[in-house]
Structures are given as structure tokens and as C-alpha cells.
Amino acid sequence: MNQDKMHLINKIFNNETIRTIWDKEQEKYYISIVDLIGVLSESDRPRKYWSDLKSKLKQEGNEVSEKIGQLKLKSQDGKYRLTDVCDIEEMFRIIESVPSKNAEPIKGWLAKLGSERINEVFDPSISAQRAIDLYRAKGYDEKWIAKRIKGIQDRKELTDAWYEGGITENKEFAILTNEIYKEWSGMTSKEYKEYKGLRKESLRDNMDSIEVILTDLSEETTKRLAKKHKPQGLEQNKKIAKLGGHAAFVARCDIEKNLGEKIVTKQNRLNYQYDKENKLEPLLSKDASKDMSSVNSKQNK
């Protein structure tokens, strides 16, 4: 979803440059607020405009002012300077604070998005159909989509089993997931994503069929072992997660031996790539943009 929002900014603002940087540790995009303000306000002095707005937000006790950070971003003269930045969530709050005709398209999009989410509360099938349409637009075949949707439910059953074993914190769920991945692939999920050149994209969506099968095998084995042995707490569940991952590792070794080639590869399903220097580049290719437009038009009917 964040990927689409970034593309939306480029499109609405006529490809004006809004500097963006990717934080690997937090797995977040951070946006230059001055650049955003410059496009929104069309002011000749965007820094002054932002300084005044920030003071106003602080006086009003607005939460946005408390979540502003600073990162070194490359300026027009090629030098890196500390610049006020915000994540994508805060970016939309800032947009709502700026009276601008340029902000109206995004505000309208936000209102439409909120309406769609409310509709999905009453009819969850809308959300499921939206996911299916997006996968179709990205070129996934029907069999793959069916397996992916089932995989989402299988993953939920695994997290339910962990929850029964006393796992409640998001950090703990991430640790257990990493134990599974490290055991069968040799990498944490984050390292696996970086290996494939991914950022916010789903790792499983960018695996080939055998990688997906091994991931499913590792998680299904972990789930069944957890239900049988009923581990309690993080340490006991880590041992079970490693056993589940090991089952997939054994299968991987056997397959690679017979195939004579590696299964874990850098291949992904992206039809765009990221700029290595974190410059703002369109995140979607023209073809992907057409695909997204096709999905949006279907949803609007």
C-alpha cells in the first residue's frame, strides 16, 4: 500500500521532486517535509512556511509536531543536510493541515479510502476480492492466487497457536518467524527481503513456487508441533519454530541435491527497482501503473 501512495504523490504533483529515504532498520519511508510543503503551498519560501506551520501545530498540541524527525538528505548543491522528515502516516496529517488546491486530490483519495474500509467491515469479502484483483493485475495466475489466499489463513492458524503458547507481543511473533526462516533458508525474513531487493513488498509474494512451498511446509510443521507439544513462552516456542524450519531445510537440501541448483534466489516479481542512493524515483513502472489503474477502475464500478 505504501508503494502505491508514493506513486500517487508523483502523479498528483506532476513529478515534482519530493526527497525520500528508506530506513532499513524501521522498514519505513521518510519524506522531506519541506519538499512536500513546497509542492502543497506553492510558496517561494517553503522552509519559512513549514517553520510557521510547525510552530502553529505545536501551539495547538498537535501530535504531528512530536513525531517529526531529522535525517541528512541530499540538497540541490549535492551536500547532505539535516532535514525535517516524517513517515507516510504523518505525511497525510501534514497534508490535511495545509490549505491547498494541490492537497484536495489526496484528501479526496483519503476520504474514499476511509469509506472503502468502512464498507469492508460490513462485508469482508470486498477486501478479499480487492486482494485477488490486485494479484491478477500484477500477473499472478489463478492457482497461485488461490494458494496465496489459503496461505494467509494458514499463517493466521500458526499465529493463533503461538498466542495459545503465551506469545502476545509483535516483537515475539517476529522473532519466531525469523527462527523459522533462519533454519530453512539461512536468513531472517528481513535479510531474505533485502536479498531479493525488496522493501515494503511481501516476501512471499516474491518467492517462486518451491520457495513458497518450503515456507508453507516450515510453518505448517511448526503449527502442528506447537499444537502437539503445547510450548509455553518465547524460549520453548523458539525450539519448536526451529524444528519446523528444519523440516523445510531437509526438504530444501534434498531438492537442491537432485536439481543441482539453488532454490533460494534473488529473483522477485517486481517490475520496477529501487534507486541505490535513495533518490526519489517512481516506484512503479508504466506497466505497473496501468495495472494499478485497471484495478482501481474495477473497484470504482
Side-chain angles (χ1 to χ4, degrees):
M1 194 64 183
N2 288 344
Q3 150 201 327
D4 301 333
K5 290 177 183 175
M6 293 302 299
H7 176 63
L8 184 68
I9 294 168
N10 283 334
K11 183 176 180 181
I12 288 177
F13 298 142
N14 300 316
N15 292 315
E16 293 279 353
T17 298
I18 300 177
R19 289 169 296 169
T20 308
I21 193 166
W22 171 252
D23 187 311
K24 288 184 179 181
E25 296 302 317
Q26 298 188 52
E27 295 190 323
K28 279 186 175 184
Y29 282 105
Y30 286 94
I31 317 298
S32 166
I33 300 175
V34 171
D35 293 348
L36 180 64
I37 292 295
V39 173
L40 286 172
S41 66
E42 297 182 328
S43 170
D44 294 331
R45 302 175 65 192
R47 292 185 184 279
K48 178 66 166 59
Y49 191 107
W50 167 235
S51 178
D52 292 342
L53 177 59
K54 184 163 59 171
S55 297
K56 179 175 178 289
L57 292 174
K58 284 182 178 180
Q59 291 174 2
E60 295 174 349
N62 193 302
E63 292 182 0
V64 173
S65 62
E66 300 175 4
K67 297 182 179 180
I68 300 302
Q70 285 196 323
L71 291 173
K72 284 190 175 182
L73 300 184
K74 194 173 184 179
S75 303
Q76 290 183 350
D77 60 8
K79 295 181 179 179
Y80 286 83
R81 293 186 173 86
L82 282 174
T83 306
D84 282 355
V85 296
C86 64
D87 61 19
I88 290 178
E89 180 180 356
E90 299 307 317
M91 177 190 72
F92 284 112
R93 292 180 179 176
I94 290 172
I95 289 170
E96 292 180 327
S97 301
V98 178
S100 166
K101 64 178 181 4
N102 289 338
E104 290 309 313
I106 288 187
K107 290 180 181 178
W109 179 78
L110 283 172
K112 179 176 179 295
L113 187 64
S115 175
E116 289 174 350
R117 294 301 174 270
I118 291 172
N119 290 336
E120 288 172 7
V121 170
F122 291 100
D123 185 359
S125 67
I126 296 175
S127 177
Q129 187 58 54
R130 181 164 55 87
I132 291 170
D133 287 342
L134 283 169
Y135 281 128
R136 285 172 177 164
K138 291 184 177 182
Y140 293 94
D141 62 47
E142 297 301 317
K143 289 184 179 179
W144 187 97
I145 295 172
K147 290 179 181 177
R148 182 69 178 98
I149 298 301
K150 183 178 184 302
I152 293 171
Q153 180 59 33
D154 290 342
R155 169 71 185 182
K156 179 62 170 59
E157 291 178 1
L158 171 60
T159 57
D160 286 346
W162 282 339
Y163 186 81
E164 291 174 4
I167 304 303
T168 58
E169 301 292 330
N170 288 337
K171 183 178 180 180
E172 293 177 322
F173 285 110
I175 289 172
L176 294 177
T177 299
N178 280 331
E179 290 296 331
I180 293 174
Y181 273 109
K182 281 192 296 184
E183 192 66 27
W184 84 259
S185 74
M187 295 177 281
T188 64
S189 59
K190 181 179 177 181
E191 291 168 343
Y192 205 158
K193 288 178 72 172
E194 290 180 355
Y195 182 67
K196 283 184 171 289
L198 309 175
R199 288 184 180 176
K200 297 294 284 185
E201 298 85 0
S202 164
L203 174 57
R204 203 172 304 217
D205 286 357
N206 288 279
M207 292 178 170
D208 75 3
S209 58
I210 294 184
E211 287 176 294
V212 171
I213 288 169
L214 290 175
T215 303
D216 289 343
L217 173 62
S218 65
E219 293 190 344
E220 180 66 21
T221 303
T222 301
K223 181 187 72 177
R224 295 197 181 195
L225 288 172
K227 288 186 174 181
K228 182 176 179 62
H229 296 289
K230 301 187 184 305
Q232 291 296 313
L234 182 60
E235 292 306 314
Q236 289 185 17
N237 273 287
K238 282 172 66 174
K239 293 179 181 178
I240 296 298
K242 286 183 178 181
L243 290 175
H246 186 70
F249 173 73
V250 172
R252 173 192 170 188
C253 291
D254 190 55
I255 295 169
E256 289 183 337
K257 179 180 178 182
N258 290 308
L259 278 178
E261 61 186 54
K262 297 291 184 181
I263 288 174
V264 177
T265 72
K266 291 186 176 182
Q267 293 180 348
N268 59 47
R269 298 290 296 257
L270 306 183
N271 49 9
Y272 53 87
Q273 62 182 8
Y274 291 102
D275 184 278
K276 293 181 181 179
E277 295 182 2
N278 279 317
K279 295 176 183 176
L280 180 65
E281 298 289 343
L283 300 187
L284 298 179
S285 68
K286 291 181 179 179
D287 290 339
S289 178
K290 290 178 181 177
D291 290 341
M292 293 300 300
S293 297
S294 174
V295 171
N296 290 335
S297 64
K298 287 181 180 178
Q299 292 174 351
N300 291 334
K301 290 181 179 179

